[in-house]
Amino acid sequence: MKVLLATEKPFAAAAVNGIRQIIEDAGHTLVLLEKYTDRNQLVTAVNDANALIVRSDIIDTNIIKAAPELQIVVRAGAGYDNIDLETTRERNIIVENTPGQNSNAVAELVFGMAVMAVRNMYDGTSGTELKGKRLGIHAFGQVGRNVARIAKGFGMDVSALDPFCPDEVMIQAGVKPVHSVEELYTNNDVVSLHIPATAETRGSVGARLINLMPKGALLINTARKEVINEPELEEILAERPDLKYVADIKPGNAETLVEKFGSRVFFTPKKMGAQTAEANINAGLAAARLIVQYFNDGSAPHQVNR
Ligand code: NAD
């Protein structure tokens, strides 16, 4: 089988070597398309591919139509909102992700940004500590669980909201389950967002929820920019000079926010949550293993387009 590794932002060489080894050891062929600058290069490359590994690369109807032999797409990473699930479903193409492989990396970044924010972006003034602060985790998936683990080390008081996660899972992790989103925002000094971008969650965190947060609160977003209502974020930061917002994804109105609110906001220059050598290698190798597994026995344990 021909496996295409198509990455506009390439994997580290160690990850590519590992992927190649897994694919070739199983008797398949690996073809690389890295740092492509024109989507037509991707259209051409998928033409005879049986399997596709991507990162944040957009796999829309055009790409899928250009890939008549395609059987499986694996997103090396967690979020799969870059892949057109409906068209893949119509074509019976399996789509999988590699959950959990980059979640520690993202969780560590949450705390990198949290410490920076409570220390006033290291501006020379006296800040506060995370110890004793209340942390609300909005979605208790792979990243949320790693955030909870690290928060315990900081001595934070941790609660979480996730309608799809049983309370026992949270309780076992020493986390208090919360069942209303209003309660989560009202009762926490720090809220960390880990909801996926879905029809339900897009734009769902706006002025109403953020305004429930207590004085001096911090909102951290390492999920997706789309889950924030950006115009309302701007409004509420203007109304509430005590609030801070830090994100791993530049909002559409980033320049205005920085201009208006200075060091109360911080954005990584590009999405950096999963940008560690470890996460890179873990996700790439997991993607390669899923493809080999699928061609071996037809199983797809992390299928997301059923
Ligand atoms: P995950 O699939 O393990 O967890 C997502 C959790 O969200 C699940 O537990 C699910 O039950 C919960 N959920 C879904 N809808 C919800 C809702 N309306 N309210 C509350 N909870 C809800 O994914 P993950 O690995 O934890 O990643 C979470 C998100 O973070 C991803 O979807 C992705 O968008 C983002 N992410 C960003 C980076 C980055 O580089 N910054 C890296 C990985 C993931």
Side-chain angles (χ1 to χ4, degrees), residues 9-27:
K9 289 184 217 154
F11 279 109
V16 176
N17 291 341
I19 292 168
R20 183 181 298 285
Q21 183 149 13
I22 291 167
I23 298 292
E24 291 182 353
D25 283 356

Side-chain angles (χ1 to χ4, degrees), residues 78 106 139 141-143 162-164 194-196 200-201 222-224 248 273-274:
V106 181
Q142 301 280 350
V143 179
D162 191 321
F164 310 103
H194 303 291
I195 40 177
E200 186 201 344
T201 63
T222 56
R224 284 283 185 269
D248 182 31

Side-chain angles (χ1 to χ4, degrees), residues 33-64:
L33 174 68
E34 292 181 318
K35 292 188 191 170
Y36 56 91
T37 48
D38 182 341
R39 290 193 52 81
N40 285 329
Q41 291 172 268
L42 183 53
V43 167
T44 308
V46 292
N47 176 48
D48 58 349
N50 304 105
L52 177 58
I53 299 175
V54 293
R55 300 184 76 194
S56 302
D57 308 74
I58 308 288
I59 304 303
D60 57 15
T61 318
N62 284 344
I63 302 295
I64 297 162

Side-chain angles (χ1 to χ4, degrees), residues 103 107 135 137-149 158 160 175 192 194:
S103 43
L135 170 70
I137 300 178
H138 194 164
F140 205 62
Q142 301 280 350
V143 179
R145 290 168 206 207
N146 276 281
V147 167
R149 172 180 53 78
V158 189
V175 171
S192 191
H194 303 291

